[in-house]
Amino acid sequence: MRITFFKYISLFFLFFHCTPNSIEIDLVVANGSLIHLEDGSISKGNIYVNNGVILGVGEAKEFPNLNPRKELDASDKYVLPGFWDNHVHFRGGIGLVKDNKKFLDLFLANGITTVRDAGGDLATEVLTWRTAINNKTMLGPTIFTAGPKIDGPNPTWEGSLEVTNEMEVAKALDSLGGLQIDFVKLYDSKISSEAYLLAIKEATKRGYITSGHMPYSVSFQEAVKTGLGATEHLYYVFKGCSSKEQEITDLVDAGEIGFWEALQELLKSYDEESAERTFELLKKHQTFVVPTLHIMHTLSYLDEEDHASDKYLKYFSPAFIKTYQRRINAAVNASEENKKSRKSLDSIFRSLNSKLDHAGVSLLAGSDCGAYNSYIYPGISLHKEMAALVQSGLSPLQALRTSTFNGAIFLKKEGDYGSIAKGKISDLVILNANPLENIENSEDIYAVLKGEQLLQKQDLQKLLSN
Ligand SMILES: [Zn+2]
């Protein structure tokens, strides 16, 4: 057979000049052990990334056309979707903006590529950061924010929106709509039971996801049935586990007892059958629970534990650290009886958490880091929360899922986040050791990929040292 000149040239291009349709892309994370949070399986493979999106996952031979400009060798590493901290706060007034901005570095340095901001008084700054990060003009985790919280008149937290009736609820939601918030956060310092339920109802009607505390003047069942998307902390689920919930609710509503007195009554009337019913209700309504075990423990032991040598203290200004004093004073000055009951509540909540998990209720890992929340540092505290979840009885896989996988589902972002798959945003964390064997390995970070931005050891160090 005679090879014509034309055929010779074509063969030359085919064999010696790559394939004619070779596509240049940004990055391949090569040969890592990929952890699939969907089912806990691990596969060995490459992740091809371009423009902040995963183009393909698998063996090199499946992608002969992709020609990465950069390769990150992950051969003895474990790769999983970037962590989500599902409960953080940017707050503390304009004087603490710099401290709050520092959070962003600390999150990324700890592998946290997304945060859910559960409301505060720095909405303007947070919204600016959110936009800049989305537009890639600033480096930081993706922020999903509630903006200002909804509460009653004269609320505890600065910047909250005060509502007492239908008109004010509508006005508050209009203003949150103007801010293009990602979900609605409710707080319980002064809000009436009527206004609280109205806010959930109206927010849900407008298509918002809601999460919140809950006044003890509302029954937990009613809040869930009205559409509360997630219940923050375990105080409110715990209320739903009492055999005397309605009586206690009525007493609080009538102003005859307050929150702490009610809590004592709830402790005496915890009931397995009521608990089972509440867990079933949560599952039926797909309501998430944010246990925040690490902060519960830390605050319960503020009177005993010395945090003076915590290594994260150095990242914050004296003015920021001063906000910690409010809770410290309250803990130190509490009666001996109160100190004891806080500590017993801490262990009761851990066992409640384990029951929630066994019952199949969806949990979200959130640290509650922010000004005023003493010694709950941004970044590292999410890892402490996952460790606390494991201590309470979750498997490491379940704990990891409560961060990234469930976080994405709760905010209806599972199309973009939560697993290593083609088409998802390339937010990845690359670990030196397997977190499924020991959850503490989640802290042993080799590299972080935030969209297009690859952060290796010295970049991560720089985020911590700036
Ligand atoms: Zn909080």
Side-chain angles (χ1 to χ4, degrees):
M1 187 179 110
R2 201 164 60 98
I3 295 177
T4 60
F5 178 71
F6 177 72
K7 272 184 181 164
Y8 178 80
I9 291 290
S10 310
L11 283 171
F12 175 83
F13 272 101
L14 199 62
F15 292 113
F16 302 103
H17 200 80
C18 304
T19 46
N21 52 353
S22 156
I23 305 161
E24 198 169 281
I25 62 161
D26 292 337
L27 173 75
V28 60
V29 178
N31 209 27
S33 296
L34 315 182
I35 297 180
H36 303 287
L37 295 176
E38 305 91 303
D39 55 8
S41 65
I42 297 184
S43 68
K44 203 78 177 152
N46 291 350
I47 304 172
Y48 295 91
V49 171
N50 198 43
N51 275 329
V53 175
I54 298 176
L55 283 189
V57 182
E59 289 181 56
K61 64 180 182 201
E62 297 170 54
F63 305 96
N65 295 344
L66 299 184
N67 179 24
R69 276 188 292 275
K70 191 175 167 69
E71 176 175 325
L72 179 75
D73 179 18
S75 19
D76 54 350
K77 310 295 176 198
Y78 293 84
V79 187
L80 65 162
F83 299 120
W84 284 40
D85 189 335
N86 296 290
H87 189 135
V88 311
H89 293 284
F90 297 104
R91 68 183 175 203
I94 212 78
L96 298 184
V97 167
K98 245 178 109 175
D99 290 274
N100 278 276
K101 202 172 177 198
K102 181 72 200 164
F103 280 34
L104 304 174
D105 291 346
L106 298 175
F107 286 132
L108 280 185
N110 282 285
I112 295 160
T113 52
T114 299
V115 295
R116 183 171 71 94
D117 167 35
D121 58 351
L122 296 175
T124 310
E125 287 74 14
V126 172
L127 293 165
T128 309
W129 299 338
R130 180 182 71 174
T131 306
I133 292 165
N134 289 348
N135 293 341
K136 298 165 189 173
T137 55
M138 191 173 129
L139 186 61
T142 298
I143 299 172
F144 293 115
T145 182
K149 298 173 188 182
I150 289 185
D151 201 343
N154 307 310
T156 304
W157 294 102
E158 291 283 324
S160 302
L161 302 172
E162 303 172 25
V163 302
T164 54
N165 57 40
E166 209 170 336
M167 213 175 75
E168 285 170 5
V169 165
K171 209 176 118 194
L173 290 170
D174 286 346
S175 84
L176 291 175
L179 299 175
Q180 293 183 295
I181 49 114
D182 301 292
F183 67 102
V184 171
K185 171 80 187 290
L186 299 136
Y187 200 74
D188 63 336
S189 74
K190 299 285 162 60
I191 196 165
S192 70
S193 50
E194 295 79 15
Y196 179 81
L197 293 169
L198 265 173
I200 297 178
K201 212 168 151 184
E202 186 59 25
T204 308
K205 208 166 94 190
R206 294 187 187 202
Y208 287 117
I209 296 164
T210 58
S211 86
H213 288 213
M214 181 190 80
Y216 266 14
S217 52
V218 172
S219 90
F220 186 63
Q221 237 193 65
E222 205 173 355
V224 171
K225 285 183 178 165
T226 307
L228 182 66
T231 176
E232 312 279 0
H233 321 296
L234 293 177
Y235 290 97
Y236 316 101
V237 190
F238 184 63
K239 182 168 184 282
C241 298
S242 161
S243 58
K244 293 185 175 167
E245 201 207 346
Q246 198 51 56
E247 286 170 65
I248 297 169
T249 304
D250 294 342
L251 286 172
V252 177
D253 204 25
E256 283 175 37
I257 57 171
F259 178 82
W260 293 106
E261 289 156 296
L263 200 54
Q264 294 308 318
E265 294 306 311
L266 295 174
L267 275 164
K268 287 183 228 158
S269 55
Y270 183 91
D271 168 55
E272 292 297 346
E273 254 175 59
S274 309
E276 289 296 324
R277 266 201 305 276
T278 294
F279 301 162
E280 284 308 312
L281 186 80
L282 287 165
K283 282 194 289 183
K284 185 179 159 204
H285 290 266
Q286 291 167 315
T287 312
F288 286 72
V289 176
V290 196
T292 63
L293 297 180
H294 170 59
I295 186 174
M296 178 68 188
H297 183 78
T298 308
L299 297 184
S300 302
Y301 286 83
L302 274 183
D303 60 318
E304 287 181 15
E305 270 182 34
D306 181 16
H307 289 271
S309 54
D310 285 6
K311 67 174 189 175
Y312 268 72
L313 283 173
K314 66 171 182 265
Y315 296 116
F316 301 104
S317 69
F320 183 89
I321 301 298
K322 209 177 153 194
T323 67
Y324 286 178
Q325 209 55 45
R326 186 161 92 184
R327 290 196 195 276
I328 298 168
N329 291 345
V332 171
N333 298 327
S335 68
E336 284 311 310
E337 199 195 330
N338 271 354
K339 285 178 188 171
K340 244 175 88 183
S341 81
R342 267 222 77 136
K343 291 178 176 80
S344 75
L345 206 56
D346 174 49
S347 33
I348 289 167
F349 278 10
R350 285 196 179 214
S351 88
L352 171 59
N353 190 64
S354 155
K355 288 173 189 164
L356 283 161
D357 178 56
H358 281 133
V361 174
S362 297
L363 306 178
L364 293 173
S367 70
D368 210 358
C369 65
Y372 295 97
N373 285 353
S374 321
Y375 310 120
I376 306 301
Y377 307 107
I380 193 68
S381 57
L382 189 262
H383 296 275
K384 303 296 176 208
E385 178 66 15
M386 289 194 290
L389 290 167
V390 170
Q391 275 162 27
S392 87
L394 271 71
S395 68
L397 172 66
Q398 284 297 83
L400 292 166
R401 282 168 63 97
T402 64
S403 164
T404 300
F405 191 76
N406 289 0
I409 293 173
F410 174 60
L411 287 181
K412 299 187 167 57
K413 302 288 177 193
E414 66 270 38
D416 286 336
Y417 301 93
S419 61
I420 301 175
K422 185 182 170 183
K424 300 230 173 171
I425 307 283
S426 54
D427 284 357
L428 301 172
V429 61
I430 297 115
L431 301 176
N432 289 310
N434 187 354
L436 297 179
E437 279 169 11
N438 179 355
I439 193 64
E440 284 171 21
N441 290 338
S442 69
E443 292 180 40
D444 192 0
I445 294 168
Y446 175 67
V448 175
L449 181 64
K450 172 62 202 156
E452 296 169 316
Q453 197 78 36
L454 178 63
L455 302 160
Q456 291 181 267
K457 197 167 180 81
Q458 60 193 37
D459 309 304
L460 299 172
Q461 282 301 331
K462 218 166 121 189
L463 289 173
L464 287 170
S465 63
N466 269 350

